[in-house]
Amino acid sequence: MKVILLGLLISAAVASAVPASSRGLFTLRTPEIVTNDGFPIESHKVQTSDGYVLEMFRIPYSPNLNNQDKPKKVAFLMHGLLSSSDCWILNGAENSMAYILSNAGYDVWMGNARGNTYSRENVKLTPLLPPFWDFSWNEIAMYDMPAMFDYVKYETGVENFHYVGHSQGTTVYFVLLSTLPQYNDYIKTSHLLAPVAYMSHMRSPLAAVAAPLLSKPNLLSDLIGSNEFMPSTALFGLLGQTACIDKSPFQEICANILFMIAGWDSQYLNYTALPLITATHPAGSSTSQLIHYLQEYNSGDFRRFDFGYFKNERTYHQKAPTDYTPENIDAETYFYYGDNDYFADVGDVLKISQQIQNLALYYQVPVPTWNHLDFLWAINVKEMINDPVKTAMEAYDAAH
Ligand SMILES: *[C@@H]1O[C@H](CO)[C@@H](O)[C@H](O)[C@H]1NC(C)=O
């Protein structure tokens, strides 16, 4: 069994040489979708200190408001693993997070991490070769987030802003604010949807399949190395496509690695949005981002990437990777979590919440079986998540 798994995972790594641009016929992009929904859109490129060029999108104002001379209030949205700025705009003009905040008077910025659809440029490296993909979410937090945060601050002239992150968009928040604590001052309030730091309770099928093989540095993880994560059909088979097809009448869900990893059992998914979701996802990430999460599943720690003894010694001056320090986070932080989340399990969410100094809200979505992707695309996401987030931002702004 192990040998077969090995072969399949290696074929997954080899398949990763195919560039994402040749993956499908669809080229739906954030600007087209936003324009189509009747909102203005701007593209901004920012270069990180290690040479990646990231594309951010901005909805500067709402066409439904007359507030262009009012002082700016800014909201910054950060997507999760295998996702992009598109995750905030796929529920249409009435129900999507980005538009709801825009209609509430916010200048809305949407980040894109290195390696996804919009951020596949580097001044020295090409995404066709492995060195481009030599990063995990630690680097997204340490290089991409500061570059984007500083750019937004400079461009808008505001001192601080509201933050919304989903999944890996919460992990990078924890890593950034704990490692470079000066960034706490950039945050008015932050709204963490499906917060992910500790992972020992992860129930993603990915954990069962890949963690035993990849969560420790070994020959196989060296073979896979740093690459774009592009799963093979064999990997889909392993992740239980048959189980998925039994549970979902929608073939598109079972054919999409994002659902296979994050959960396909939603009771609330907005099926009208499904064609838009599958046209824009998965949005690209490195194999190391997944492996870093698997390492956490295995170790139970919230800590930096495990390169193996020798490189750990060079990088961290000790044999094991160093821990992150979430106790440094003192920005006003709001937690939103669900009871059926394969990635952000209730037990793991509780553990990180207890280390946050200024926890303003600890909110379990008050309906059963809420899963990881429901935070983005549930039919009731406006009522359960988007409106409460908006109301909390407005309350803060009214008081300050
Ligand atoms: C579902 O998605 C479609 C397509 O984006 C959108 O028009 C509709 O408003 C969404 N429904 C809900 C309840 O969010």
Side-chain angles (χ1 to χ4, degrees):
M1 182 60 178
K2 268 208 167 162
V3 177
I4 301 174
L5 283 177
L6 215 83
L8 294 174
L9 284 162
I10 291 169
S11 68
V14 172
S16 70
V18 183
S21 49
S22 65
R23 254 187 289 162
L25 298 171
F26 294 104
T27 48
L28 258 188
R29 292 171 46 90
T30 299
E32 282 86 72
I33 299 170
V34 172
T35 305
N36 201 37
D37 288 329
F39 285 76
I41 185 82
E42 294 173 9
S43 156
H44 294 260
K45 289 200 171 177
V46 55
Q47 189 179 318
T48 68
S49 60
D50 60 346
Y52 287 84
V53 180
L54 314 173
E55 186 170 17
M56 283 184 284
F57 294 107
R58 176 193 198 184
I59 303 176
Y61 59 89
S62 162
N64 307 316
L65 296 177
N66 205 345
N67 68 335
Q68 284 174 57
D69 347 302
K70 290 239 182 81
K72 280 222 172 336
K73 302 184 296 176
V74 173
F76 185 98
L77 317 182
M78 192 63 193
H79 64 81
L81 186 69
L82 295 167
S83 192
S84 72
S85 47
D86 294 318
C87 74
W88 307 111
I89 55 173
L90 301 183
N91 276 319
E94 304 295 318
N95 301 308
S96 302
M97 177 72 88
Y99 305 134
I100 286 173
L101 295 180
S102 178
N103 284 335
Y106 290 95
D107 177 6
V108 178
W109 291 75
M110 296 176 276
N112 280 302
R114 58 184 61 192
N116 88 4
T117 319
Y118 304 103
S119 298
R120 303 174 64 86
E121 251 183 85
N122 180 295
V123 291
K124 290 190 295 251
L125 307 170
T126 163
L128 298 180
L129 295 173
F132 179 95
W133 298 98
D134 189 12
F135 61 83
S136 78
W137 36 259
N138 181 72
E139 284 64 41
I140 295 173
M142 298 300 290
Y143 297 101
D144 297 358
M145 301 307 291
M148 293 193 288
F149 274 17
D150 287 330
Y151 183 93
V152 167
K153 208 171 141 172
Y154 174 81
E155 187 70 22
T156 60
V158 301
E159 280 304 306
N160 45 27
F161 44 79
H162 298 285
Y163 182 85
V164 183
H166 175 241
S167 186
Q168 184 189 266
T170 73
T171 312
V172 295
Y173 170 88
F174 295 132
V175 172
L176 174 68
L177 269 58
S178 57
T179 314
L180 301 173
Q182 65 270 30
Y183 283 96
N184 280 287
D185 297 341
Y186 285 50
I187 303 292
K188 283 176 158 177
T189 66
S190 79
H191 302 269
L192 306 185
L193 318 181
V196 178
Y198 297 99
M199 294 233 85
S200 44
H201 296 90
M202 167 165 49
R203 284 178 293 142
S204 166
L206 181 74
V209 168
L213 291 165
L214 291 177
S215 59
K216 284 220 180 84
N218 56 27
L219 184 64
L220 178 61
S221 59
D222 285 353
L223 265 174
I224 290 182
S226 312
N227 262 302
E228 180 167 14
F229 176 69
M230 295 282 280
S232 67
T233 41
L235 185 62
F236 276 106
L238 278 177
L239 288 180
Q241 193 160 3
T242 337
C244 176
I245 285 168
D246 283 350
K247 274 200 183 168
S248 167
F250 292 90
Q251 186 82 44
E252 303 97 293
I253 287 183
C254 304
N256 195 302
I257 192 70
L258 182 64
F259 288 101
M260 293 304 290
I261 291 178
W264 58 78
D265 60 347
S266 172
Q267 286 186 24
Y268 307 107
L269 180 69
N270 176 2
Y271 285 105
T272 317
L274 195 54
L276 287 171
I277 296 170
T278 54
T280 50
H281 291 75
S285 76
S286 81
T287 48
S288 300
Q289 285 166 253
L290 278 98
I291 289 174
H292 198 170
Y293 279 132
L294 292 173
Q295 291 179 350
E296 297 206 319
Y297 172 70
N298 198 50
S299 71
D301 293 323
F302 183 39
R303 62 184 190 183
R304 295 183 177 77
F305 197 84
D306 190 349
F307 299 106
Y309 289 165
F310 297 108
K311 194 172 171 194
N312 284 348
E313 196 65 74
R314 282 205 306 277
T315 315
Y316 311 121
H317 309 294
Q318 58 182 57
K319 285 203 170 64
T322 45
D323 286 330
Y324 294 114
T325 47
E327 59 276 14
N328 289 346
I329 303 173
D330 61 10
E332 189 168 316
T333 303
Y334 297 60
F335 270 44
Y336 305 75
Y337 64 98
D339 66 344
N340 179 40
D341 191 325
Y342 292 180
F343 244 82
D345 185 87
V346 178
D348 293 332
V349 173
L350 180 65
K351 185 165 178 187
I352 182 69
S353 76
Q354 289 167 340
Q355 293 176 291
I356 303 291
Q357 288 180 41
N358 190 355
L359 190 65
L361 178 74
Y362 190 63
Y363 165 86
Q364 179 168 345
V365 180
V367 291
T369 74
W370 189 266
N371 89 2
H372 199 65
L373 298 177
D374 289 332
F375 288 94
L376 302 173
W377 306 312
I379 39 165
N380 43 353
V381 70
K382 175 177 159 61
E383 176 194 351
M384 293 296 152
I385 304 293
N386 299 348
D387 282 344
V389 166
K390 177 197 75 173
T391 305
M393 289 182 187
E394 289 178 325
Y396 179 96
D397 287 326
H400 290 79

